Amino acid sequence: MAVLKKSTLLTLLFSVLVLTASLASATQDLELKQCRHQCRHQGGFDEEQRLQCEQRCEEYVRDKKQREREEREEGYTRRRSREDSEEEEERFEQNNPYVFQDEHFDTSVRTEEGRVHVLRKFTERSKLLKGIENYRVGFLEANPRAFVAPVHFDADVIFFVASGKPTITLLKEKKRETFNLQCGDVLHIPAGTPAYMVNRDDREKLFIVKLINPVSLPGEFEPFYGPGGENPESFYKAFSWEVLKAAFKRDRDEIERLFRQQKRGSITKASREQVEELSRHAESGGAAPIWPFKGETKGPFNLFHNHPVSSNRYGSLFEANPEECKELEDLDLIISFANITKGAMIAPYYNSKATKISFVVNGEGWFEMACPHISSEHGHRRGGGTWQGDKSGQSFQRVSGRLRRGVVFVAPAGHPVTAIASENSNLQILSFEVNGKGNTRYPLAGRKNIVNNMENVAKELAFGVPAREVERIFKSQNEEFFFPGPTQQEEGGRRAYI
Ligand SMILES: *[C@@H]1O[C@H](CO)[C@@H](O)[C@H](O)[C@H]1NC(C)=O
Ligand SMILES: [Cu+2]
């Protein structure tokens, strides 16, 4: 058996490589010819060696062609998916006044121990949100054992505890109320009530989502810090010395000294002993939102302690509503929490009269909503399909947005909406549904969808096809409020932006 001189072959292949590097793929046949030529004229090769050499040339050129084809295709798909996601991105950002991210929040407090961010007025974004002008959304994040200074607001504030263990004290007219709250607890702090709080958890950060309902200026509210000093600046200091001296019956120096001390801001660190002291006499939150005697009890309740109003393996929906809960009756508010299983979706539905302000507490995904208020001129319709017949000029635009922790999105009453969880994590959405009294959720797909409830003749008249055809579509999905999502139902339906 003949043995190829390795060095000779390598030199040969190297020269071929150098040669081919400068050649376009169309000249690969030429390349092959030249390679063979070199094999034939290489000194010292016997017949077998020459054949082997030519074979190597063929293999080399074939492999190279294959590699180039693969690279071309890969490049194409890479480019495609980049275009797709850019298109998606564009679709998300354009023309969508219903979704809010980090950049739409203002920082109202930031210290070493925590921060408070408040979303700007809804009407600053669009007049389509005028209906919820008098609601604001914010969140508070604080370290373990952080203390949040006493403060009152010219607004009703509704708290939802998403993580951490706050002990909160409300100074009510006749008594002091302290509650040890936990994840899922909801608390209403009536306007003007002085309140302070400590995160009694030693490890977990406190994360509280707030709905704020101003009582004085529509859509505007302020924190009022009294017991404090320089920072947070105390409102006591706005009064004249004459007034303060008379009010406290102390001299100016003493008063001045007291109000000069606090400079660490409105969120500071407490010691373990102080946390222990603050939480020792607290009542725990944690009751279920439905009490046997409505109107008897006020105070915090836990959203998760009731049975979910809807639940299957694709998700759960927890809800507290004004019909069942006195606290929410006064506020005309529904509070709900959707825990959408990874890869699953909420049934498209709409609220009959409530406008839903949602805050993404955890996870990723996206939402889609049909909106007749936004012109389709700037947007794009899926597939560019056309609709025949009299359209009375109305057109529904799809508005959608990427969802991740901290994103706020709004679904006005009557607007069909859905949310979809990414395949990587459960999507957990806390919603404040304002104008909630007597609200109905109308599902648009799934077992209880509105079309299934129509008589056959109405189905035929509405769709212009036999009822059987309508039912084939509308009776296929048997789940009720949570379904497998698009990525689970469609082969290869993976979205570029997940
Ligand atoms: C959400 O659902 C998952 C199961 O899919 C469960 O493990 C988790 O505890 C739920 N979270 C909440 C806050 O309900
Ligand atoms: Cu709209």
Side-chain angles (χ1 to χ4, degrees), residues 262-472:
Q262 183 56 270
K263 292 186 174 119
R264 293 186 302 158
S266 62
I267 307 180
T268 53
K269 190 93 166 177
S271 69
R272 278 200 180 79
E273 295 68 37
Q274 288 169 327
V275 170
E276 168 69 18
E277 187 63 35
L278 282 168
S279 54
R280 189 180 303 148
H281 303 293
E283 308 164 39
S284 64
I290 300 173
W291 294 295
F293 308 107
K294 182 179 161 181
E296 298 282 308
T297 330
K298 283 204 172 192
F301 60 81
N302 194 288
L303 205 49
F304 302 142
H305 287 191
N306 262 355
H307 286 297
V309 290
S310 186
S311 180
N312 60 23
R313 62 201 183 94
Y314 306 109
S316 313
L317 180 71
F318 297 89
E319 181 190 279
N321 64 49
E323 278 80 25
E324 295 161 342
C325 176
K326 175 78 182 130
E327 202 75 70
L328 297 177
E329 184 181 24
D330 299 344
L331 298 162
D332 197 4
L333 183 69
I334 300 169
I335 298 187
S336 65
F337 186 95
N339 185 4
I340 312 168
T341 308
K342 55 179 96 167
M345 67 185 281
I346 291 187
Y349 77 97
Y350 66 90
N351 269 339
S352 63
K353 61 190 287 281
T355 286
K356 178 159 152 158
I357 305 167
S358 295
F359 188 103
V360 180
V361 171
N362 261 316
E364 284 175 10
W366 81 94
F367 83 98
E368 294 190 3
M369 180 170 78
C371 174
H373 298 104
I374 290 174
S375 84
S376 57
E377 280 159 42
H378 311 288
H380 7 170
R381 205 174 248 293
R382 190 200 298 268
T386 51
W387 300 76
Q388 306 278 316
D390 171 28
K391 288 205 60 258
S392 23
Q394 200 202 25
S395 132
F396 291 99
Q397 184 64 23
R398 178 181 63 220
V399 292
S400 56
R402 198 192 294 269
L403 302 181
R404 64 171 81 88
R405 187 184 169 106
V407 169
V408 170
F409 65 104
V410 175
H415 285 54
V417 64
T418 180
I420 301 97
S422 83
E423 286 175 291
N424 309 319
S425 56
N426 276 27
L427 181 59
Q428 301 181 336
I429 302 172
L430 174 75
S431 298
F432 300 106
E433 292 167 82
V434 305
N435 200 19
K437 235 173 274 176
N439 182 65
T440 304
R441 283 192 189 95
Y442 283 103
L444 302 171
R447 198 160 67 226
K448 295 192 174 159
N449 75 68
I450 55 167
V451 173
N452 285 352
N453 203 16
M454 289 164 62
E455 302 105 302
N456 282 350
V457 60
K459 285 177 193 158
E460 286 177 13
L461 286 165
F463 285 93
V465 298
R468 219 170 346 100
E469 298 291 307
V470 177
E471 282 169 7
R472 209 166 51 211

Side-chain angles (χ1 to χ4, degrees), residues 75-304:
Y76 175 74
T77 31
R78 253 206 313 272
R79 209 158 46 242
R80 279 293 306 157
S81 69
R82 198 169 55 235
E83 274 164 14
D84 281 354
S85 60
E86 266 166 20
E87 197 177 291
E88 292 294 349
E89 205 61 60
E90 218 173 76
R91 195 186 65 180
F92 281 154
E93 320 257 285
Q94 260 187 11
N95 217 2
N96 185 352
Y98 299 102
V99 65
F100 304 85
Q101 296 156 17
D102 294 353
E103 68 259 33
H104 301 108
F105 283 83
D106 286 328
T107 307
S108 71
V109 172
R110 185 187 284 280
T111 74
E112 284 197 354
E113 297 303 322
R115 58 196 178 112
V116 177
H117 290 230
V118 178
L119 188 63
R120 278 178 225 127
K121 268 177 85 160
F122 287 116
T123 41
E124 247 183 56
R125 184 70 173 280
S126 164
K127 61 179 190 305
L128 291 175
L129 299 172
K130 196 152 173 49
I132 51 169
E133 180 178 25
N134 203 27
Y135 291 93
R136 302 288 295 274
V137 176
F139 66 87
L140 177 150
E141 190 179 59
N143 289 339
R145 290 195 274 121
F147 176 73
V148 182
V151 65
H152 74 262
F153 294 93
D154 51 351
D156 279 300
V157 179
I158 296 91
F159 265 31
F160 172 83
V161 181
S163 77
K165 293 196 173 63
T167 293
I168 187 163
T169 300
L170 307 182
L171 304 176
K172 294 271 180 80
E173 196 188 351
K174 294 194 177 105
K175 60 181 192 299
R176 189 176 69 218
E177 294 176 346
T178 300
F179 303 102
N180 283 338
L181 304 180
Q182 56 172 351
C183 177
D185 274 340
V186 174
L187 177 68
H188 170 210
I189 303 171
T193 310
Y196 50 90
M197 183 165 59
V198 70
N199 180 12
R200 68 182 186 282
D201 202 292
D202 236 351
R203 282 181 305 268
E204 200 180 16
K205 275 202 175 192
L206 179 61
F207 196 90
I208 286 174
V209 184
K210 303 183 191 186
L211 180 75
I212 300 141
N213 189 194
V215 291
S216 166
L217 283 169
E220 311 273 354
F221 73 98
E222 295 292 339
F224 291 79
Y225 296 97
E230 305 268 339
N231 182 13
E233 191 184 308
S234 170
F235 54 67
Y236 283 108
K237 293 174 74 177
F239 292 102
S240 62
W241 291 116
E242 289 67 35
V243 165
L244 289 177
K245 281 193 300 198
F248 291 127
K249 278 177 70 182
R250 304 300 297 190
D251 63 32
R252 173 177 168 163
D253 280 356
E254 239 181 313
I255 299 169
E256 212 174 354
R257 220 174 302 129
L258 177 67
F259 283 100
R260 222 173 27 213
Q261 299 307 314
Q262 183 56 270
K263 292 186 174 119
R264 293 186 302 158
S266 62
I267 307 180
T268 53
K269 190 93 166 177
S271 69
R272 278 200 180 79
E273 295 68 37
Q274 288 169 327
V275 170
E276 168 69 18
E277 187 63 35
L278 282 168
S279 54
R280 189 180 303 148
H281 303 293
E283 308 164 39
S284 64
I290 300 173
W291 294 295
F293 308 107
K294 182 179 161 181
E296 298 282 308
T297 330
K298 283 204 172 192
F301 60 81
N302 194 288
L303 205 49
F304 302 142

Side-chain angles (χ1 to χ4, degrees), residues 468-481:
R468 219 170 346 100
E469 298 291 307
V470 177
E471 282 169 7
R472 209 166 51 211
I473 303 288
F474 279 86
K475 288 203 163 152
S476 209
Q477 178 60 267
N478 271 324
E479 296 292 345
E480 204 177 298
F481 195 66

